[in-house]
Amino acid sequence: MEFGILGTTELIHDGRVIPLGPAKQRGMIAVLLYHAGEPVRVSTMIELLWGRPGNVDHRPTLYSLASRLRAALAQAGLDKALVRVSGIGAYRLDVDPGTIDLHRFRRQLTEAREATAQGRPESSAEILLRALPLWRGDPLPELGGARADQLRRSLGDVLLDAHKLLAESQLACGRPHAVLDQLDRLIQIYDLDEGLARCWIRALSTVGRHDEAKRFVIAFRRRFRKEMRTEPDVDIVPTRSASWSTADRIPRHMRPDIADFTGRQALLDELGEMRGNVVVITGMPGVGKTTLATHWAHRRRQMFPDGQLYLDAGAYGLASPVDPQDALERFLRILGVPPDQIPVSLEQRRDRFEDLIGDRRIFLLIDNVLDSAQVRPLIPRSMNCLTVITSRTRLSGLTIRDGVRTVTVAPLSEDESTSLLARIVGSKDASDLDGLTALAELSGGLPLALRIIGERVAERPRSGIAELAGELRHRLLETAGEDDQAAALTTVFDWSYRALGADAARLFRQISHHPGTNFGPDAAAAIAGLPVAHAEALLNVLAKAHMINHDSTRRYRFHGLLHQYAVERSAGDDPAVVRQEQRRMLDWYLLSAAGAVAVTAPEWPPMTDLPSAPDVQPMSFGTDTEAMNWCAAEQDNLCAVSRWAQNHGFDRHGWQIPGVVHEILERYGCRGDILELNRQALVAARRDEHEVGQIGILNNLGATYFAVHDYDRAVAAFIEARHLAAATGNFEAETLCSHNLASTYVSLGEVPRAIEIYERALQACRKMGLSVGESAVLNWLGAANLQLGQYQRAAENYHQALAIRERIGAKRGTGQSHSGLGALYLASGQLRLALWHCETARVIHAHAHDQEAECDTLITLADVQRNLEMHAEAVHSGQRAILLGELVSDSFRQVAALTAMGDALAAAGDPKAAMDQARMARRILDDLSGAHVPPLHKRLLVLERTVQIASPESRAG
């Protein structure tokens, strides 16, 4: 048996080709063969098959592909090879890697490297001449998207390494003509590869074609310098890299060098004379630590032929510093470890990293480090590697504990500064020298400052350099004598800032109040009190001046240092004006979110005491789809502004924004965020002494606890809310709290107690004319009577709730009532009615993005379709329910969905697949507790017994 993925994916068994189906099906098995014996996440396979799918859900299609693949594999006696890995949403293909061409090729390549290292070039060449024909064409051709392209490039690197190793071996065996034949096509394709060029030059020279070798060297050097902006390591005298015997692939992950690097010769000499495998380069912000380290890395490239690695550790900036565990993941990815094979823990990742490094000679640049603890796990132990670390602070821990040498970077000298600035602005007029010198002096010798100055000079060609120097000198002299390097940077930023028009400068300060990671023109307009079009035009001015950055379409973000600078600039504004700007920002988010809810859930009453805010133009939405899209885009910002309001004395906004967005956020199952927001919102509502707000937030908090099956905390929150409502005479809120409390009792199995509360709540809602409350109570009464087997009463309750909800336009509620009716008619055996209601509910839930409700409906729908002997449809519904259960991270729903899927498969005549689902459900259920467990356990037990009886093994026994 042989599998092939180095070309069109194929399976050959007993001399015949086993059809593997269409391209996507072949692509799925190709991914699994690439990772043979290892789990591959469903999300990974989807990205490799379809690229980034956007809003399209390919999981049901993938599950169908898996089913068809099992049938194809069964023809080769591999009916148990494709395994669904529970808990992580993955598949695994259990086949011998030795049957797969790629893994055979890699094993043979390793053997060839070992032979080379042992001085046996003939054996190496023999092995490679057997291995290379395994490549029948482009690898993994059925895969698509950027990630697949990257995978193919990585495999292409491995193939190129093999060709270079074969060429080295053939040359060592005295076969230069074979090398020229072998590399004739490759040298044209990989025309910048130094290793390949060295082999070609050596072969030409060996056969006496010296003139041709010289012409090739000249052309290669010219081409390499033009494209790579550095000198290649090739010469007419052939050199040999040791990398072929020590590396599976050669990472070239390094920042590009800069063409106008200036000065620092003494530091470069000092670095070159240092001993040891680790060095720390420290200095003030903007002094050029990273540029120096990068330039030195490129100069030392030939001494580290096995590659270069670069990491921005993110110590200073808007984002948090990179965790060492995440940093090791990045390195492992660069070194070719597939994402699903990267270990989980820090120690495991470090061990894998050390194994991959081995004795290889690699240059590592770890830039912008926070402290010794962050960087220590990233330093290879091998003395063959060199690790260069840059940091704004001295890393005393590394110096004291590890004996690491530290080099401090001082500002550029006056001559170096002037020379660098001249190269940046491209000045050729000797008369400009005095002006350039004056500007350079004002920079304090900081390369970053010099580059910003250079950009400003280039942008104002009609202004004389001396004139600009005079303008800038006044501002810089205000910080003369400061020993904090940030002062010089602030001065340079000041100059860029002063070049802005008054309106753009004002907006620059105002948007610094925004607490999110990015923002759009509408939010900026609200903060500034401007029309949206005017605000967007000013944002584009700022982006052009590099004061902010474009993030995505009509979205912007700050660079860390510039955001810091903008905050400092805004400190000089009138505090009362700043407070108004911040209030407008919060009003805009609050009223925009309230508008979105009014469109998506028009039946709900508006948030109490919303601000009038005539100076804010909130978003307006024509459809519920527009509203949901806005909420999805602003979800992180809504959470961020809520927390900001809670922490900056805007208590009213601090509970109103979470209160408004609760109805939307819960559709996506983001329970962790919702819980935290509501806990803090409750604190803000209490500080605000707003009793209605406290009752509402307590209700939302209870509803969130209810959704995560934490019924004790849900009961406590609902009781506290009900007591507060009763104490303040808020009968309407008290009724709502009682209804929610009763719903918790239903889930706890205390149905008669719940029905008694519901009956009182129903009377109260009708008396007060609360249609939303009346329909909710009726719907839950239907669920309670369904549990008691009172089908007629349940039907009456559900239909009454449905009629009200359709009348008032409660879309989510309408879906819930249809779903309840589907469950009722399934229980009473009226399957066609059940089918219609479930399908209606599913469409409504999908449109409303109500993933939890859609999951519940699909579980019921799978049962209905199974009873109607619609086996394929039942399996499809079960697959979709499993996916949604995973998306909302609800273990109870996952168990229910897996069990429904198992029942559907058993009814379809596939007891083995049904048993797989049962096993996955059992593994999850055994870790759960609470009121929902007994009924889930009971149904799962029935499934387990059914598939045991139906399985071929049981019948054979």
Side-chain angles (χ1 to χ4, degrees):
M1 181 185 308
E2 295 181 355
F3 289 97
I5 58 177
L6 298 178
T8 302
T9 302
E10 64 180 16
L11 167 58
I12 300 175
H13 179 60
D14 290 338
R16 69 184 183 93
V17 176
I18 303 295
L20 293 175
K24 285 290 186 285
Q25 193 167 312
R26 297 197 308 274
M28 180 177 181
I29 195 172
V31 175
L32 294 166
L33 289 167
Y34 182 89
H35 300 288
E38 299 290 337
V40 183
R41 291 185 180 275
V42 169
S43 58
T44 298
M45 286 189 281
I46 288 174
E47 185 175 350
L48 287 169
L49 288 171
W50 286 279
R52 296 195 178 275
N55 295 325
V56 180
D57 182 11
H58 293 291
R59 293 188 185 227
T61 304
L62 191 76
Y63 296 141
S64 298
L65 294 177
S67 298
R68 294 198 290 270
L69 272 180
R70 286 193 178 96
L73 291 168
Q75 298 180 49
L78 298 172
D79 51 311
K80 296 182 179 181
L82 183 56
V83 179
R84 179 74 185 270
V85 183
S86 63
I88 61 172
Y91 285 94
R92 184 181 70 244
L93 188 62
D94 290 333
V95 296
D96 179 6
T99 64
I100 306 166
D101 57 2
L102 171 62
H103 298 289
R104 291 204 308 276
F105 176 80
R106 282 177 164 165
R107 186 186 67 240
Q108 290 172 322
L109 180 57
T110 299
E111 292 172 357
R113 289 187 174 118
E114 290 173 354
T116 299
Q118 295 166 6
R120 297 185 290 113
E122 288 188 2
S123 296
S124 176
E126 182 181 347
I127 294 169
L128 289 168
L129 287 170
R130 291 198 310 268
L132 285 168
L134 291 172
W135 287 72
R136 296 169 289 110
D138 290 334
L140 308 171
E142 297 88 359
L143 307 187
R147 189 170 180 176
D149 291 340
Q150 182 180 1
L151 200 59
R152 278 188 287 268
R153 285 194 295 271
S154 175
L155 290 175
D157 290 342
V158 175
L159 176 61
L160 182 60
D161 285 351
H163 274 290
K164 289 188 282 193
L165 182 56
L166 175 59
E168 289 274 351
S169 300
Q170 296 276 45
L171 286 168
C173 295
R175 302 169 190 155
H177 290 288
V179 174
L180 293 174
D181 291 340
Q182 173 203 351
L183 301 185
D184 185 53
R185 184 177 62 90
L186 293 175
I187 201 69
Q188 300 175 44
I189 298 173
Y190 301 100
D191 61 349
L192 292 175
D193 190 280
E194 294 170 279
L196 209 61
R198 285 192 290 268
C199 291
W200 184 254
I201 296 165
R202 184 177 172 189
L204 288 173
S205 300
T206 303
V207 299
R209 293 159 62 178
H210 300 292
D211 291 341
E212 190 175 343
K214 290 178 182 178
R215 289 195 299 272
F216 177 84
V217 169
I218 293 170
F220 185 87
R221 283 180 173 278
R222 184 185 302 115
R223 183 168 59 251
F224 195 93
R225 281 194 297 266
K226 180 179 179 181
E227 297 293 332
M228 306 302 291
R229 300 172 68 183
T230 189
E231 286 292 333
D233 184 20
V234 297
D235 201 276
I236 192 62
V237 178
T239 60
R240 180 174 179 177
S241 171
S243 64
W244 318 130
S245 62
T246 59
D248 290 327
R249 59 177 296 174
I250 300 178
R252 296 297 185 197
H253 192 72
M254 181 58 62
R255 290 169 56 96
D257 200 3
I258 59 172
D260 56 10
F261 183 89
T262 302
R264 308 293 197 196
Q265 190 57 51
L267 278 177
L268 290 169
D269 292 341
E270 182 181 354
L271 288 169
E273 294 169 0
M274 292 182 63
R275 298 293 179 263
N277 65 327
V278 186
V279 60
V280 174
I281 298 177
T282 189
M284 296 179 177
V287 78
K289 302 179 294 294
T290 300
T291 301
L292 173 66
T294 302
H295 184 70
W296 192 47
H298 283 275
R299 284 183 53 164
R300 306 275 286 191
R301 182 177 176 180
Q302 71 279 4
M303 298 183 65
F304 297 91
D306 297 324
Q308 298 169 311
L309 293 173
Y310 172 81
L311 172 74
D312 181 357
Y316 302 95
L318 277 178
S320 300
V322 177
D323 185 89
Q325 190 163 329
D326 295 332
L328 285 169
E329 179 182 2
R330 297 182 192 181
F331 282 159
L332 291 174
R333 284 173 179 256
I334 294 168
L335 291 170
V337 180
D340 55 301
Q341 294 182 21
I342 292 175
V344 175
S345 72
L346 174 65
E347 288 304 318
Q348 290 173 328
R349 289 181 177 181
R350 176 166 173 76
D351 290 343
R352 186 67 182 277
F353 180 57
E354 291 287 354
D355 289 343
L356 287 172
I357 293 294
D359 293 327
R360 297 161 71 178
R361 290 181 290 166
I362 294 179
F363 188 109
L364 291 87
L365 173 51
I366 307 176
D367 191 23
N368 197 13
V369 167
L370 179 65
D371 53 29
S372 300
Q374 182 193 26
V375 74
R376 188 175 281 113
L378 312 181
I379 302 173
R381 299 185 185 96
S382 172
M383 294 300 294
N384 290 335
C385 294
L386 177 61
T387 303
V388 177
I389 300 162
T390 74
S391 179
R392 293 185 183 182
T393 58
R394 292 186 66 89
L395 303 182
S396 301
L398 289 181
T399 302
I400 296 170
R401 287 182 51 187
D402 305 289
V404 172
R405 176 78 179 273
T406 297
V407 172
T408 300
V409 181
L412 292 170
S413 68
E414 179 178 324
D415 289 343
E416 290 173 333
S417 297
T418 304
S419 176
L420 176 57
L421 185 57
R423 297 177 73 178
I424 292 170
V425 302
S427 175
K428 297 180 181 179
D429 189 349
S431 63
D432 286 339
L433 181 59
D434 292 341
L436 286 172
T437 302
L439 280 175
E441 289 175 353
L442 297 176
S443 74
L446 300 181
L448 175 59
L450 288 164
R451 294 190 181 281
I452 296 174
I453 291 170
E455 282 196 19
R456 293 304 176 204
V457 171
E459 288 173 359
R460 297 167 66 177
R462 296 186 179 182
S463 299
I465 290 179
E467 175 186 343
L468 294 175
E471 176 185 344
L472 184 56
R473 176 178 287 105
H474 177 70
R475 298 292 298 165
L476 286 173
L477 290 175
E478 293 180 358
T479 59
E482 291 283 351
D483 60 0
D484 182 0
Q485 189 63 52
L489 284 175
T490 300
T491 302
V492 175
F493 289 149
D494 262 343
W495 191 58
S496 296
Y497 168 79
R498 290 185 64 211
L500 299 170
D503 290 345
R506 185 181 306 108
L507 183 63
F508 178 71
R509 299 192 306 273
Q510 291 167 326
I511 56 178
S512 70
H513 308 316
H514 193 284
T517 56
N518 60 36
F519 51 88
D522 299 273
I527 298 171
L530 296 172
V532 175
H534 188 190
E536 187 165 14
L538 292 175
L539 289 171
N540 288 328
V541 169
L542 293 173
K544 185 176 180 181
H546 305 291
M547 302 298 278
I548 60 174
N549 299 319
H550 284 287
D551 189 50
S552 59
T553 304
R554 300 192 75 221
R555 304 291 291 184
Y556 305 86
R557 69 168 61 238
F558 266 112
H559 179 279
L561 287 173
L562 282 167
H563 181 257
Q564 208 172 30
Y565 170 78
V567 171
E568 292 173 359
R569 291 295 311 182
S570 70
D573 291 339
D574 184 340
V577 173
V578 170
R579 194 72 172 173
Q580 282 294 97
E581 293 165 354
Q582 295 166 341
R583 190 266 308 160
R584 285 198 299 266
M585 173 185 70
L586 297 173
D587 282 350
W588 182 81
Y589 273 107
L590 172 59
L591 295 175
S592 295
V597 173
V599 174
T600 58
E603 72 277 12
W604 287 102
M607 168 64 66
T608 183
D609 293 336
L610 283 174
S612 58
D615 53 350
V616 169
Q617 182 182 348
M619 297 293 294
S620 60
F621 308 99
T623 65
D624 55 351
T625 300
E626 289 179 8
M628 288 303 297
N629 288 341
W630 179 84
C631 291
E634 294 287 353
Q635 180 177 326
D636 291 342
N637 282 336
L638 286 166
C639 294
V641 296
S642 297
R643 296 187 186 98
W644 189 92
Q646 293 159 0
N647 294 328
H648 288 81
F650 287 93
D651 290 331
R652 181 66 56 88
H653 295 86
W655 64 263
Q656 282 186 325
I657 296 176
V660 166
V661 301
H662 178 88
E663 199 277 341
I664 292 174
L665 292 181
E666 67 176 358
R667 304 187 188 199
Y668 295 99
C670 346
R671 301 299 177 182
D673 284 343
I674 298 172
L675 273 175
E676 180 60 28
L677 282 180
N678 280 324
R679 290 191 189 110
Q680 296 302 317
L682 182 59
V683 174
R686 285 170 174 163
R687 284 198 303 256
D688 192 28
E689 299 182 353
H690 199 290
E691 293 163 346
V692 174
Q694 293 176 55
I695 295 167
I697 295 299
L698 281 166
N699 256 310
N700 289 344
L701 195 55
T704 307
Y705 282 128
F706 178 87
V708 298
H709 315 289
D710 189 345
Y711 299 121
D712 290 340
R713 286 192 173 91
V715 167
F718 289 140
I719 288 176
E720 184 180 353
R722 187 174 67 175
H723 287 167
L724 182 57
T728 57
N730 191 333
F731 187 58
E732 179 178 336
E734 184 181 0
T735 301
L736 174 63
C737 297
S738 297
H739 157 259
N740 288 339
L741 185 61
S743 302
T744 309
Y745 291 144
V746 171
S747 296
L748 288 168
E750 302 177 40
V751 180
R753 182 181 183 185
I755 288 178
E756 183 181 342
I757 298 174
Y758 282 141
E759 294 291 356
R760 292 197 301 268
L762 183 60
Q763 293 177 10
C765 287
R766 286 171 172 168
K767 183 177 180 179
M768 291 183 290
L770 301 176
S771 298
V772 175
E774 180 184 0
S775 66
V777 173
L778 284 166
N779 211 72
W780 272 101
L781 267 173
N785 282 313
L786 175 58
Q787 281 198 33
L788 295 177
Q790 300 290 331
Y791 296 154
Q792 184 59 41
R793 289 182 183 175
E796 292 173 358
N797 297 147
Y798 278 131
H799 279 294
Q800 289 172 4
L802 180 60
I804 295 172
R805 286 170 162 176
E806 288 179 336
R807 173 171 54 82
I808 65 177
K811 298 172 186 177
R812 289 184 74 197
T814 299
Q816 292 165 1
S817 295
H818 278 296
S819 185
L821 283 165
L824 167 65
Y825 289 129
L826 169 64
S828 62
Q830 298 171 270
L831 298 179
R832 287 295 169 185
L833 275 174
L835 181 65
W836 184 83
H837 282 289
C838 284
E839 289 180 336
T840 303
R842 184 193 61 78
V843 172
I844 294 172
H845 293 322
H847 182 75
H849 300 277
D850 197 340
Q851 294 174 341
E852 292 178 339
E854 186 180 359
C855 180
D856 296 337
T857 299
L858 283 164
I859 293 169
T860 305
L861 180 59
D863 290 340
V864 173
Q865 291 164 332
R866 170 174 55 84
N867 280 279
L868 287 169
E869 298 185 356
M870 302 168 60
H871 298 308
E873 292 84 351
V875 169
H876 179 77
S877 296
Q879 290 171 335
R880 178 69 181 167
I882 291 170
L883 167 62
L884 288 172
E886 293 174 352
L887 285 177
V888 300
S889 301
D890 190 314
S891 297
F892 293 95
R893 285 185 168 92
Q894 289 178 45
V895 172
L898 286 165
T899 306
M901 178 69 163
D903 283 333
L905 289 166
D910 192 348
K912 180 185 178 300
M915 180 57 81
D916 289 341
Q917 304 299 311
R919 289 190 182 113
M920 288 188 281
R922 174 61 64 190
R923 281 193 284 268
I924 299 173
L925 186 60
D926 286 347
D927 292 331
L928 302 179
S929 60
H932 279 306
V933 170
L936 289 172
H937 173 75
K938 182 178 179 180
R939 177 171 179 178
L940 180 57
L941 193 60
V942 172
L943 170 62
E944 291 168 334
R945 290 172 177 169
T946 300
V947 295
Q948 285 172 356
I949 293 170
S951 66
E953 293 84 353
S954 298
R955 291 198 297 270

